[in-house]
Amino acid sequence: MKILMILTSHDKLGDTGDKTGFWLEEFAAPYYVFKDAGADITLASPKGGQPPLDPKSNTDDAQTEATERFKADSDAQKALANTEVLSTVSADGFDAIFYPGGHGPLWDLANDGDSISLIETFAYSGRPIGAVCHAPAVFKYPKGKDGKPFVLGKTVTGFTNTEEKGVGLIDVVPFLVEDMLKENGGHYKKGDDWASFVVTDGKLVTGQNPASSAEAAKKLLALLR
């Protein structure tokens, strides 16, 4: 199995002066689900190299078994520090694509033409696509073969408006993931705030929040077996 994981390169949290990026658990948990299943993982980001880490995801209270494993894994750290430049990555040869979240994707990956093209290529060829927490932001612009929004008619989830309100960023983010998925015609569903909640619709897997990361990866793997 060859899985492509795409991370954000964006590190500015709007005009707040604070930093953002990818959320550590949302990378680490899926990474090890895939790795432990024997998958060959390729990491990419718009700018390549080391993606910015959201500092809030690196605090003591945000750590999990997967994040602690990553911090002791020099090979994984080296892989993350050397992500491929997204524009140089082809969909050829990959069996699935997965997007970790963090607030960063709202600013770069949601509007990235290379990401949009990859999602459409995977969708048209019937290959699994996964995204967790804020990463379903990447479905804002991709279209189906009919030219309509990719998520139209699909059951999806993603970071809830109430979770965004809970972290105090409703007025900072460029758009709300929940609202965008609904506006694009997705059948949006959610579980309790901060609890694991994952939805599979055909070859599309979406997770609601950081706690959903490992389960989303497992559901994506299930589509490859």
Side-chain angles (χ1 to χ4, degrees), residues 1-3 30-41 69 217-218 220-222 224-225:
M1 295 178 292
K2 291 184 179 294
I3 298 176
Y31 180 84
Y32 288 116
V33 167
F34 298 148
K35 186 175 180 63
D36 292 347
D40 181 2
I41 305 166
R69 181 177 172 185
K218 291 172 184 175
L220 189 79
L221 273 183
L224 292 173
R225 290 174 168 156

Side-chain angles (χ1 to χ4, degrees), residues 42-90:
T42 296
L43 306 179
S45 61
K47 294 181 180 178
Q50 176 71 55
L53 174 66
D54 188 318
K56 293 189 182 72
S57 73
N58 205 27
T59 58
D60 289 345
D61 63 351
Q63 300 317 295
T64 65
E65 185 177 331
T67 65
E68 297 293 355
R69 181 177 172 185
F70 172 75
K71 290 178 180 182
D73 186 343
S74 59
D75 289 340
Q77 292 169 25
K78 183 177 179 181
L80 183 65
N82 293 279
T83 67
E84 297 188 21
V85 177
L86 185 55
S87 62
T88 69
V89 175
S90 164

Side-chain angles (χ1 to χ4, degrees), residues 8-218:
T8 182
S9 293
H10 185 86
D11 69 352
K12 294 181 177 65
L13 190 60
D15 299 323
T16 64
D18 293 332
K19 293 292 188 181
T20 190
F22 74 94
W23 197 262
L24 184 56
E25 180 183 2
E26 295 171 29
F27 163 72
Y31 180 84
Y32 288 116
V33 167
F34 298 148
K35 186 175 180 63
D36 292 347
D40 181 2
I41 305 166
T42 296
L43 306 179
S45 61
K47 294 181 180 178
Q50 176 71 55
L53 174 66
D54 188 318
K56 293 189 182 72
S57 73
N58 205 27
T59 58
D60 289 345
D61 63 351
Q63 300 317 295
T64 65
E65 185 177 331
T67 65
E68 297 293 355
R69 181 177 172 185
F70 172 75
K71 290 178 180 182
D73 186 343
S74 59
D75 289 340
Q77 292 169 25
K78 183 177 179 181
L80 183 65
N82 293 279
T83 67
E84 297 188 21
V85 177
L86 185 55
S87 62
T88 69
V89 175
S90 164
D92 294 346
F94 289 105
D95 299 302
I97 189 170
F98 188 90
Y99 288 82
H103 281 88
L106 294 170
W107 279 275
D108 64 351
L109 290 173
N111 308 294
D112 188 284
D114 297 307
S115 174
I116 292 166
S117 178
L118 280 170
I119 291 168
E120 292 177 344
T121 300
F122 274 78
Y124 299 170
S125 56
R127 285 176 277 177
I129 299 168
V132 67
C133 198
H134 284 90
V138 302
F139 303 135
K140 185 173 185 179
Y141 292 116
K143 299 286 193 286
K145 287 182 178 179
D146 57 4
K148 296 178 180 177
F150 166 64
V151 297
L152 180 67
K154 292 182 173 65
T155 302
V156 289
T157 191
F159 206 59
T160 68
N161 291 353
T162 49
E163 287 169 326
E164 199 71 80
K165 185 176 181 180
V167 297
L169 295 174
I170 284 271
D171 297 322
V172 173
V173 294
F175 62 91
L176 297 169
V177 173
E178 176 180 336
D179 287 355
M180 179 276 291
L181 292 171
K182 291 175 178 175
E183 289 162 5
N184 276 8
H187 295 312
Y188 180 86
K189 292 190 174 182
K190 60 184 177 182
D192 293 337
D193 283 0
W194 312 114
S196 178
F197 184 77
V198 178
V199 171
T200 301
D201 189 322
K203 297 288 187 174
L204 176 63
V205 177
T206 46
Q208 180 177 314
N209 48 34
S212 311
S213 303
E215 184 64 21
K218 291 172 184 175

